[in-house]
Amino acid sequence: GAVVSQHPSRVICKSGTSVKIECRSLDFQATTMFWYRQFPKQSLMLMATSNEGSKATYEQGVEKDKFLINHASLTLSTLTVTSAHPEDSSFYICSARDRVSYNEQFFGPGTRLTVL
Amino acid sequence: AQKVTQAQTEISVVEKEDVTLDCVYETRDTTYYLFWYKQPPSGELVFLIRRNSFDEQNEISGRYSWNFQKSTSSFNFTITASQVVDSAVYFCALSEVVVDKIIFGKGTRLHILP
């Protein structure tokens, strides 16, 4: 099956710094990528949808100036958590929709962010 | 609006027992997809099944089976002869074809006791 990678898998940073998380589709092209956030023992909540070459669409309640999403190519989307605070500590998971098999979404392994 | 309800927060069974995880969904669309994912302690989501709204046939894959009933808006998941390795959080999810973002239920944490 299709593979989606995320980098880094874990990151620890100090409060106030910015962190960038990469999501790559390794063997397919993804016109659309999705970013989810999962707090401990909770469900996955969609944060935003990013389409290649256009601005991301954010879900209600998600600060677009804090969570910057860039989808510059058909295989790469990045999520930057700006001025991170401890409450941003979470598990961030991306998914990518196969350009060919339109309704297939493939999930990355997730990135665990800890903000001290 | 879309909604997925997994009423069972946590289930514990003894190894080799059968266990059913319940999932009830709400959607206004006639065309949609239903999913089940497994999330082991590592955190990575493992895709188990996708079912479209026009296919109500039950599915069996090894020890796993799924019962899709549109009349009750349910998509239940049964593990037969459970094993310790089945211990994980299981998520039921829904996606409307046009919008296509996936809405997850809150998950059921399954403990298989040796």
Side-chain angles (χ1 to χ4, degrees), chain B residues 56-71:
Chain B
E56 282 194 76
Q57 281 193 336
N58 291 332
E59 175 107 4
I60 298 175
S61 177
R63 296 184 296 107
Y64 295 169
S65 62
W66 291 269
N67 186 319
F68 177 27
Q69 293 197 342
K70 287 179 77 170
S71 60

Side-chain angles (χ1 to χ4, degrees), chain A residues 32 34 36 38 41-46 49 59 91 93 97 101-105 107-110 112, chain B residues 33 35 37 39 41-45 47 50 91 95 97-107 109:
Chain A
T32 305
F34 303 86
Y36 294 83
Q38 185 181 29
K41 296 194 175 183
Q42 294 191 24
S43 187
L44 284 80
M45 299 299 293
L46 180 67
T49 302
E59 295 298 301
F91 192 54
I93 305 175
R97 187 170 66 195
S101 178
Y102 190 76
N103 289 313
E104 291 280 353
Q105 274 192 44
F107 284 85
R112 194 165 300 280
Chain B
Y33 289 96
F35 305 83
Y37 291 91
Q39 188 177 43
S42 65
E44 185 164 357
L45 281 179
F47 169 82
R50 183 183 76 166
F91 290 99
S95 172
V97 172
V98 175
V99 176
D100 97 317
K101 59 185 182 183
I102 296 178
I103 304 299
F104 288 82
K106 292 188 176 183
R109 187 172 298 273

Side-chain angles (χ1 to χ4, degrees), chain A residues 1-46:
Chain A
V3 179
V4 175
S5 70
Q6 282 185 241
H7 178 80
S9 57
R10 289 178 179 268
V11 57
I12 300 173
C13 68
K14 292 183 179 179
S15 187
T17 60
S18 294
V19 175
K20 182 185 282 189
I21 302 170
E22 292 185 349
C23 176
R24 291 182 185 273
S25 57
L26 297 186
D27 49 3
F28 67 99
Q29 292 184 330
T31 48
T32 305
M33 289 184 171
F34 303 86
W35 287 96
Y36 294 83
R37 179 168 53 183
Q38 185 181 29
F39 291 111
K41 296 194 175 183
Q42 294 191 24
S43 187
L44 284 80
M45 299 299 293
L46 180 67

Side-chain angles (χ1 to χ4, degrees), chain A residues 40-113:
Chain A
K41 296 194 175 183
Q42 294 191 24
S43 187
L44 284 80
M45 299 299 293
L46 180 67
M47 298 175 65
T49 302
S50 76
N51 294 297
E52 186 261 340
S54 63
K55 290 184 178 180
T57 302
Y58 291 81
E59 295 298 301
Q60 195 172 12
V62 177
E63 299 175 60
K64 61 180 180 181
D65 294 330
K66 182 169 184 62
F67 299 99
L68 301 179
I69 292 172
N70 184 287
H71 192 162
S73 77
L74 286 172
T75 59
L76 173 65
S77 177
T78 60
L79 167 68
T80 301
V81 183
T82 62
S83 187
H85 288 100
E87 57 265 30
D88 298 324
S89 298
S90 188
F91 192 54
Y92 292 87
I93 305 175
C94 73
S95 71
R97 187 170 66 195
D98 189 334
R99 186 185 193 184
V100 174
S101 178
Y102 190 76
N103 289 313
E104 291 280 353
Q105 274 192 44
F106 302 96
F107 284 85
T111 296
R112 194 165 300 280
L113 170 64

